[in-house]
């Protein structure tokens, strides 16, 4: 089965073709057109600018994905590729995200499904992040706890299996990635914050500055929630009206990174113990952070000896459409295609 995935929830225009055969996933193409360079000068994403660029990029990106996947060697790739029998399903990310960005991907996917009479499914961006782990083609033993850490969300998910999951905790304010992005803005390090902070942190001392580990032992109504806005404010007060050397900035980055990691690991281990799971899955853009990957893997190994730890390859952690295609595969297998006329972009 060959699936075209389309993802435009934020500032990445992405399309991918995956092939699923006997429960093995092969990524035939994975095209991501990033707008980071455009939004960098604003210090963050400007929704209208993002939507306009998605409109510009969406057809060339899909065309490139179909061309690279070599499912149809004839030009025009979109029409020949989608029309021909080789493409079996279109999967598009419908929520959550920036509404004007989502609309571009969703309406394009619908137009393709309509014109070429292909089944279509709409998928949730956060489930898609977790689904990316199946691209490892490793057996996942359920139940599992999934930690999804991105620029807009920080969620713990209990996964009964690949078809059924529920949220067991999330951030009450800023997401972990948002905390990195906002701290980087305060430190004048540019956008996006996560990659630059982790780069600076490599040669910094994580114990140099004492930053809070918010809500380590607090959770409302039995849930395992997070809060990262206080950490961002702590960085703000730390640097306010002061001058720091490059060395000290590196120490602040390392201290912030470690504070975020400590909270994420503590809560994930707590959730895994509470729900007695067999696997922990780490996904989302912040899962591209090497220290988080290493430290969570080590903690699971030391503290939960019988629990397996899995995380997607780094290129499938940050926004991409291969993950959208995998999530679409599972949704289609569980409940068939969606009603083309009912699919729409949603913010949450
Ligand atoms: O999942 P994603 O690509 O987009 C959203 O769904 O938001 O996540 C983007 C977030 C940004 O906040 C970015 O700063 C963060 O992931 N990020 C990282 C790293 N790479 C990206 N955070 C920490 N370390 C990284 N290496
Ligand atoms: Zn994402």
């Amino acid at each position: 089965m060959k699936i075209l995935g389309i993802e435009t929830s934020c500032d990445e225009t992405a399309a991918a073709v995956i092939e699923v055969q006997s429960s093995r996933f092969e990524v035939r193409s994975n095209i991501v057109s990033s707008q980071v360079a455009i939004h960098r000068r604003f210090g963050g994403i400007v929704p209208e600018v993002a939507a306009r660029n998605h409109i510009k990029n969406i057809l060339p990106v899909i065309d490139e994905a179909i061309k690279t996947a070599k499912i149809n060697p004839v030009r025009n790739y979109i029409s020949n590729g989608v029309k021909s029998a080789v493409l079996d399903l279109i999967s598009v990310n419908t929520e959550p995200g920036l509404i004007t960005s989502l609309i571009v991907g969703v309406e394009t996917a619908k137009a393709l499904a309509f014109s070429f009479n292909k089944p279509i499914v709409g998928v949730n961006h956060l489930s898609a992040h977790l689904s990316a782990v199946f691209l490892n083609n490793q057996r996942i033993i359920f139940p599992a706890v999934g930690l999804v850490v991105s620029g807009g969300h920080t969620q713990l998910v209990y996964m009964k299996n690949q078809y059924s999951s529920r949220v067991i905790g999330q951030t009450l304010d800023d997401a972990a990635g948002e905390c990195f992005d906002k701290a980087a803005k305060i430190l004048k390090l540019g956008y996006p914050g996560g990659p630059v902070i982790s780069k600076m942190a490599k040669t910094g001392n994580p114990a140099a500055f004492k930053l809070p580990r918010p809500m380590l032992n607090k959770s409302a109504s039995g849930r395992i929630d997070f809060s990262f806005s206080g950490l961002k404010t702590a960085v703000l007060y730390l640097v306010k009206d002061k001058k720091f050397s490059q060395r000290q900035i590196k120490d602040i980055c390392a201290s912030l990174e470690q504070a975020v990691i400590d909270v994420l690991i503590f809560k994930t281990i707590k959730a895994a113990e509470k729900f007695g799971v067999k696997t922990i899955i780490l996904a989302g853009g912040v899962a591209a952070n090497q220290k988080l990957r290493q430290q969570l893997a080590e903690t699971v190994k030391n503290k939960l000896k019988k629990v397996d730890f899995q995380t997607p390859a780094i290129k499938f952690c940050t926004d991409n459409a291969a993950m959208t295609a995998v999530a679409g595969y599972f949704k289609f297998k569980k409940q068939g295609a969606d009603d083309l006329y009912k699919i729409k972009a949603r913010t949450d």
Side-chain angles (χ1 to χ4, degrees):
M1 181 176 194
K2 291 189 188 69
I3 306 163
L4 170 67
I6 298 174
E7 147 69 42
T8 60
S9 65
C10 199
D11 61 340
E12 260 97 31
T13 318
V17 175
I18 66 157
E19 182 167 7
V20 194
Q21 256 181 334
S22 323
S23 301
R24 280 192 72 79
F25 293 87
E26 188 198 340
V27 180
R28 299 281 299 250
S29 64
N30 183 39
I31 309 296
V32 180
S33 167
S34 174
Q35 299 179 21
V36 160
I38 296 166
H39 297 276
R40 190 167 276 140
R41 67 194 153 111
F42 303 111
I45 297 160
V46 183
E48 177 170 340
V49 175
R52 283 171 186 270
N53 280 284
H54 282 310
I55 290 170
K56 206 167 88 187
N57 298 335
I58 188 78
L59 291 177
V61 164
I62 296 173
D63 212 36
E64 187 67 22
I66 292 175
K67 179 182 168 185
T68 315
K70 295 195 169 64
I71 52 174
N72 195 306
V74 196
R75 246 205 174 299
N76 165 342
Y77 301 106
I78 292 187
S79 57
N80 287 319
V82 183
K83 186 166 53 184
S84 57
V86 283
L87 226 148
D88 305 291
L89 177 68
I90 296 174
S91 175
V92 64
N93 182 86
T94 49
E95 89 277 339
L98 300 170
I99 192 71
T100 44
S101 287
L102 286 164
I103 284 171
V104 180
V106 171
E107 296 307 315
T108 306
K110 282 163 72 177
L112 292 177
F114 177 83
S115 327
F116 302 118
N117 196 25
K118 294 285 170 182
I120 181 169
V121 283
V123 300
N124 178 287
H125 181 79
L126 304 174
S127 323
H129 269 305
L130 284 170
S131 300
V133 80
F134 288 93
L135 294 169
N136 290 348
N137 288 311
Q138 303 266 329
R139 191 169 159 235
I140 309 264
I141 309 167
F142 289 100
V145 152
L147 171 67
V148 193
V149 261
S150 72
H153 295 83
T154 300
Q155 263 188 4
L156 277 165
V157 178
Y158 175 78
M159 302 168 79
K160 194 173 157 205
N161 51 46
Q162 58 269 57
Y163 304 107
S164 168
S165 60
R166 70 188 160 90
V167 176
I168 52 172
Q170 60 191 337
T171 183
L172 302 177
D173 40 58
D174 291 354
E178 195 177 354
C179 176
F180 283 134
D181 295 338
K182 287 180 174 168
K185 203 169 178 177
I186 293 167
L187 295 165
K188 300 192 174 56
L189 294 175
Y191 175 84
V196 64
I197 285 183
S198 74
K199 194 171 163 212
M200 301 278 289
K202 273 199 183 104
T203 46
N205 172 9
F209 291 93
K210 270 202 165 16
L211 290 171
R213 269 69 176 152
M215 287 188 65
L216 218 46
N217 285 306
K218 261 193 265 165
S219 61
S221 57
R223 286 164 60 98
I224 306 173
D225 290 326
F226 303 87
S227 164
F228 289 106
S229 73
L231 197 44
K232 163 201 68 192
T233 313
V235 173
L236 183 66
Y237 283 118
L238 178 67
V239 303
K240 203 170 171 231
D241 304 325
K242 291 187 205 88
K243 277 219 170 343
F244 287 102
S245 65
Q246 192 68 356
R247 162 91 264 141
Q248 286 170 313
I249 303 266
K250 286 180 176 173
D251 288 345
I252 295 173
C253 288
S255 304
L256 171 68
E257 181 180 56
Q258 196 56 54
V260 172
I261 292 174
D262 283 353
V263 175
L264 292 174
I265 292 182
F266 182 89
K267 302 249 172 183
T268 306
I269 298 291
K270 196 168 155 186
E273 284 171 337
K274 183 173 171 184
F275 290 89
V277 296
K278 299 209 160 64
T279 304
I280 290 176
I281 299 167
L282 169 69
V286 181
N289 185 286
Q290 286 291 4
K291 262 190 218 160
L292 173 61
R293 296 167 80 87
Q294 279 160 12
Q295 291 185 20
L296 184 53
E298 271 164 33
T299 314
V300 174
K301 207 167 147 198
N302 295 335
K303 285 201 167 167
L304 308 170
K305 295 199 168 21
K306 289 187 178 148
V307 175
D308 188 27
F309 172 70
Q310 301 224 17
T311 186
I314 287 179
K315 67 177 170 189
F316 299 126
C317 285
T318 46
D319 286 351
N320 66 88
M323 67 182 196
T324 315
V326 179
Y329 168 75
F330 288 125
K331 184 170 176 190
F332 186 69
K333 246 183 109 179
K334 184 185 175 195
Q335 61 197 61
D338 283 335
D339 181 341
L340 178 64
Y341 297 103
K342 290 199 177 135
I343 295 184
K344 60 175 188 205
R346 292 154 30 117
T347 48
D348 50 24

